[in-house]
Amino acid sequence: MLELSAVNSFYGKAHVLNDLSFTVARGQVVALLGRNGAGKTTTMKSIMQLVQPRSGKVTFQGQDITGMPTHKVAKLGLGYVPEERRIFTDLTVAENLEVGRQPPRDGTYAWTTDMLFDLFPNLAERRGNRGKALSGGEQQMLTIARTLMGNPSLVLLDEPSEGIAPVIVEQMVNVIKTLKADGLTVLLSEQNLHFARAVADMAVIIEGGTQKFNGTLEELNAHPEIRDAYLSI
Amino acid sequence: MGLFIAQLLTGLANAGALFMVASGLSLIFGVTRIVNFAHGSFYMLGAYVGYTLIQVLPGVVGFWGAILLAGLAVGLIGMLVEILVLRPVYRAPELFQLVATFGVILVIQDLALMTWGPEDLLGPRSPGLVGVVRIMGEPVPKYDIALLVITPFVALALWYLMTQTRVGVLVRAATQDREMVGALGVNQAWLFTGVFALGCGLAGLGGALQLPKGGADLMMDFNILTAVFVVVVIGGMGSLPGAYLAAVIISVLNVFGVTYIPQSTLVLMFIVMVLVLMIRPYGLFGREEVAGEHGQVGEPERPIKPAGLQVRLLVAAGVAALAALPLYGSGFMQVLTTDILIFCLFAASLHFLLGLGGLVSFGHAAYFGGGAYVAGLLVKHAGTPMELAFILAPLGAGLGAFIIGWVCLRLTGVYFAMLTLAFAQLLWSLVFQWGEFTGGDDGILGLWPAKWLSGTTPYFYFTLVFSVGGVLFLRHVAHSPFGYALRAARDSERQAEATGINTRRVRMLAFSFAGFMAGLAGGLFVFSKGSIFPNELEITRSFDALIVVFLGGVKTLSGGIVGAAFFKGVEDVLTRFEYWRLAMGLLIIGVVILAPDGIVGTLRKWAERLGVLKRAEDES
């Protein structure tokens, strides 16, 4: 469904992604793992074309999206949940969702605000509140809900468990499982295995922008030395 | 009491047009981050287009229809401007776009002159609303009452659009984080175009609505621009209720000002602005601008380095060629070169502040003109010898800059820029209205250099020494530890603070120093012309410097000088033609689009591509 082939991305002179290649198949949840600074966020941004790869190719549903304007990438059905959340703090919860709203595409789920409020009951209570009044966990849920409003077929989740309370992390795990059951494809990035273990089928480990491992979670569990070398424990 | 209420109503009526123009500017800035200098021009266009349409369309329906159509037409023109002029430069460094909008001002000025001629057009009366109503015995024009009623409806419609519709939600979201809006599948390009068109349409509507009160003339663009900026800043950039409240405050105060303290009119709104910003640094309803919130655009800055041997030789050869000018150039050439040299120094002083300090001053003419006036006033009132007056010019300007900088540097970004503009305007109005001391509009005449400097050639050499010396000194300071500290404060204030740099003190010094050097240029100027007039303190003078610095290249050390020399030279040629503004405006827009790194930056890129210069990447 999503394929990166030999992607190289730079910030100015800094070479951040080095010949990165991996695929995400339909219906899978793939965990992109690596330490702080490994290039996970840059990978996400390179897929969304927020950072344009200097070489290599990104294809989504068979279509080359390299160099495409970000809004067109999003319209194709790629949903992006950034690490910094970036909710619109001056807008209410309902308005934040409105910004994300896009008509459903063929074969995707057609989300409504009510369905999302069922999925995230905390948000329902706060629909009239401004984004800046939300807690960190609520903000994280809002970013996911906002992205789902665009009815994406693949969601990029950049470090969804970062900086939120364990009880909320638990909720996030459930949400991702629900979404997966509904047929959504997910690429999520994490620094450690705990979250990935709960939801992911496949894992890709990167270090210094280079791929170090690509396989199922079972394979990764069978090789603790890989985990010790590239992930924080 | 009757008079009081009548005046209050007039003030409120006047607030209408001001609010519409200001809310348009505010919207555009909020979403696109463009300070649209051309906003006054769209207001002027609205008046002219409305005038023509009213001539064609008959009756009451025709009158109001014409006003609406004028707003619509100006909105369409704004859309064209956005697509043709601004779209190509969104990726350029922040604030570069304002140079393009300055080009638009010049183009619209000449197009209006061509279409409607130089005479002021008398405003048509509104059918059915001629004459006055008496309120407690005082006459209030009926049309004022109409404006009083219309403005809240326009405000309400805007409020509805912004808060109750999807478009409004998207616009507000984009104001905060436009990249994220794009990542959610919204095409920002059309959002930008739409907002720009809406903003311009509002300005056009404002221009057409005030026709019965003020008619249409070619000065309207600059005349309203300052007031609009002031309103937007007082209200808070991007806030519609703020713009409304500020427009009312300014208009009402103005009406009372005219009645009770007529000499205050030019100064009043700036005093209000200064007071408001002292208490609320981001305007009445404004939000703090967080640095980097809107994402960095453009390439990272290259480090500057001392000139290599090649460049030094080139500069030495250039100076030598200049020094030999009297041997081969005519007297006129020497006068022109003197002008250019002075302007170069002035531009270089602003470039120092803007390029190295990241401090965008919209009012740098205050120090240029200020220095000139210090010298002029000393000669006129104290009989000071020219040499001493010349030395005191930069000192006076530097001291002025120190005081103004002390106040302005509490703010950052656009608010800082607007406050510097306010102070420059304050100084200008002071000089303009204090006739018995400054000569007012008639200026000060008979300010000639000392005997040993009189004559074109000696003064040319005098200017050469101080301009080249001044520019070299500015360069030297840029490479000094102070210059490093200044750039550190520009690039990361917190990091600089953590390193032990007192960023406020560094900026204060830089601001004073830039003022000092501008004052030096002013001192050179006043004795080269033998006179000084208030227009050397005007906004247009500040903008001239700003434009050449941007066009020359903010990120290159020589940008200010190259831009100044290039444009002063071009201006000299172009002003011989009738429609020189059109040509100049198109030239500015062309440079902005074709050379987004400025003239110097773009030339350097080309040279690197051709292999004449080494690439920056290869050096590390």
Side-chain angles (χ1 to χ4, degrees), chain B residues 301 304 351 552-560 597-602 604:
Chain B
E301 198 115 338
I304 56 168
H351 181 273
V554 179
K555 296 184 173 183
T556 44
L557 263 185
S558 52
D597 296 301
I599 297 173
V600 179
T602 304
R604 188 165 65 189

Side-chain angles (χ1 to χ4, degrees), chain B residues 478-525:
Chain B
H479 292 296
S480 72
F482 171 67
Y484 286 111
L486 184 60
R487 277 179 283 147
R490 171 197 69 190
D491 290 341
S492 174
E493 180 165 359
R494 278 190 206 168
Q495 189 70 40
E497 285 278 347
T499 322
I501 296 170
N502 184 342
T503 54
R504 183 172 156 81
R505 206 172 67 193
V506 165
R507 287 185 177 138
M508 284 283 304
L509 261 174
F511 199 83
S512 315
F513 179 57
F516 177 90
M517 294 314 266
L520 182 66
L524 286 169
F525 176 84

Side-chain angles (χ1 to χ4, degrees), chain B residues 25-160:
Chain B
L25 185 76
S26 194
L27 272 176
I28 291 174
F29 176 80
V31 175
T32 64
R33 317 304 296 172
I34 290 178
V35 180
N36 183 22
F37 277 176
H39 216 65
S41 305
F42 291 105
Y43 168 73
M44 180 175 82
L45 270 183
Y48 273 114
V49 172
Y51 180 87
T52 302
L53 287 172
I54 290 171
Q55 308 297 314
V56 183
L57 304 171
V60 179
V61 178
F63 177 84
W64 294 106
I67 285 179
L68 277 180
L69 280 177
L72 209 66
V74 174
L76 284 176
I77 296 170
M79 182 181 280
L80 270 182
V81 167
E82 199 274 347
I83 292 174
L84 295 177
V85 179
L86 296 175
R87 252 191 212 188
V89 293
Y90 279 127
R91 304 292 301 174
E94 192 146 6
L95 286 177
F96 197 65
Q97 296 93 349
L98 70 82
V99 182
T101 65
F102 191 80
V104 173
I105 295 183
L106 295 176
V107 171
I108 291 180
Q109 255 175 4
D110 263 2
L111 290 181
L113 175 64
M114 284 177 191
T115 317
W116 289 282
E119 277 88 40
D120 293 0
L121 303 180
L122 200 64
R125 300 202 192 175
S126 166
L129 291 171
V130 182
V132 296
V133 286
R134 299 234 160 231
I135 292 176
M136 299 173 85
E138 291 294 329
V140 177
K142 283 184 188 163
Y143 191 73
D144 277 7
I145 307 281
L147 281 183
L148 265 177
V149 177
I150 293 168
T151 310
F153 278 105
V154 175
L156 213 64
L158 261 185
W159 171 85
Y160 183 83

Side-chain angles (χ1 to χ4, degrees), chain B residues 136-386:
Chain B
M136 299 173 85
E138 291 294 329
V140 177
K142 283 184 188 163
Y143 191 73
D144 277 7
I145 307 281
L147 281 183
L148 265 177
V149 177
I150 293 168
T151 310
F153 278 105
V154 175
L156 213 64
L158 261 185
W159 171 85
Y160 183 83
L161 177 75
M162 293 303 289
T163 57
Q164 306 297 311
T165 66
R166 171 168 171 87
V167 171
V169 171
L170 292 181
V171 167
R172 280 185 292 137
T175 303
Q176 212 184 334
D177 187 344
R178 56 194 193 196
E179 191 186 69
M180 194 60 226
V181 173
L184 289 167
V186 178
N187 187 349
Q188 297 172 64
W190 283 107
L191 202 60
F192 279 30
T193 310
V195 166
F196 199 84
L198 174 67
C200 293
L202 280 168
L205 190 65
L209 269 175
Q210 66 74 53
L211 268 173
K213 288 174 74 83
D217 61 73
L218 289 167
M219 306 282 279
M220 283 173 79
D221 50 356
F222 272 108
N223 282 348
I224 197 159
L225 192 61
T226 354
V228 167
F229 274 132
V230 168
V231 163
V232 170
V233 167
I234 290 181
M237 278 291 201
S239 163
L240 288 179
Y244 191 70
L245 187 60
V248 168
I249 293 175
I250 293 296
S251 302
V252 170
L253 268 179
N254 214 25
V255 171
F256 283 106
V258 168
T259 318
Y260 299 111
I261 15 171
Q263 63 273 32
S264 74
T265 45
L266 291 171
V267 189
L268 205 57
M269 63 179 174
F270 294 106
I271 294 177
V272 175
M273 170 158 141
V274 171
L275 286 179
V276 168
L277 291 186
M278 288 291 87
I279 300 160
R280 293 190 62 91
Y282 302 98
L284 293 172
F285 292 99
R287 213 164 52 87
E288 184 174 358
E289 296 285 328
V290 182
E293 181 183 18
H294 303 279
Q296 291 284 337
V297 286
E299 286 174 40
E301 198 115 338
R302 294 177 191 225
I304 56 168
K305 52 184 194 323
L309 186 66
Q310 235 178 343
V311 178
R312 275 169 203 248
L313 286 175
L314 208 68
V315 170
V319 172
L322 275 177
L325 182 71
L327 298 178
Y328 59 83
S330 63
F332 170 74
M333 272 302 290
Q334 292 177 44
V335 171
L336 178 64
T337 313
T338 304
D339 282 358
I340 292 179
L341 284 170
I342 293 171
F343 192 53
C344 282
L345 179 60
F346 175 39
S349 73
L350 178 64
H351 181 273
F352 179 83
L353 196 61
L354 208 158
L356 301 176
L359 299 167
V360 184
S361 164
F362 283 179
H364 208 52
Y367 317 106
F368 177 75
Y373 263 99
V374 166
L377 289 170
L378 280 169
V379 171
K380 186 188 171 197
H381 290 292
T384 314
M386 175 262 171

Side-chain angles (χ1 to χ4, degrees), chain B residues 416-589:
Chain B
F416 168 80
M418 296 312 298
L419 205 55
T420 57
L421 174 70
F423 275 106
Q425 280 301 97
L426 211 71
L427 197 64
W428 172 78
S429 351
L430 195 72
V431 168
F432 191 81
Q433 292 190 322
W434 197 3
E436 57 266 36
F437 183 62
T438 62
D441 205 16
D442 299 328
I444 308 171
L445 305 174
L447 305 167
W448 295 107
K451 270 251 154 50
W452 59 282
L453 282 171
S454 60
T456 305
T457 308
Y459 202 80
F460 166 74
Y461 279 117
F462 182 68
T463 308
L464 185 69
V465 168
F466 278 98
S467 293
V468 174
V471 168
L472 289 179
F473 186 50
L474 279 165
R475 262 193 93 99
H476 176 76
V477 172
H479 292 296
S480 72
F482 171 67
Y484 286 111
L486 184 60
R487 277 179 283 147
R490 171 197 69 190
D491 290 341
S492 174
E493 180 165 359
R494 278 190 206 168
Q495 189 70 40
E497 285 278 347
T499 322
I501 296 170
N502 184 342
T503 54
R504 183 172 156 81
R505 206 172 67 193
V506 165
R507 287 185 177 138
M508 284 283 304
L509 261 174
F511 199 83
S512 315
F513 179 57
F516 177 90
M517 294 314 266
L520 182 66
L524 286 169
F525 176 84
V526 67
F527 293 113
S528 79
K529 296 291 174 214
S531 57
I532 178 73
F533 299 98
N535 58 344
E536 295 310 322
L537 290 161
E538 264 181 4
I539 302 183
T540 35
R541 192 65 71 242
S542 296
F543 283 6
D544 282 348
L546 207 59
I547 299 304
V548 299
V549 168
F550 273 112
L551 288 179
V554 179
K555 296 184 173 183
T556 44
L557 263 185
S558 52
I561 309 147
V562 172
F566 179 71
F567 277 90
K568 204 73 180 174
V570 169
E571 190 187 67
D572 180 69
V573 177
L574 283 182
T575 42
R576 295 169 196 177
F577 299 99
E578 193 185 354
Y579 295 115
W580 68 273
R581 286 189 187 86
L582 180 65
M584 192 72 175
L586 291 176
L587 179 71
I588 289 175
I589 294 169

Side-chain angles (χ1 to χ4, degrees), chain A residues 153-171:
Chain A
S153 44
L154 193 157
V155 173
L156 307 172
L157 279 176
D158 201 358
E159 304 217 18
S161 74
E162 199 197 318
I164 54 177
V167 55
I168 313 273
V169 172
E170 207 57 39
Q171 275 184 42

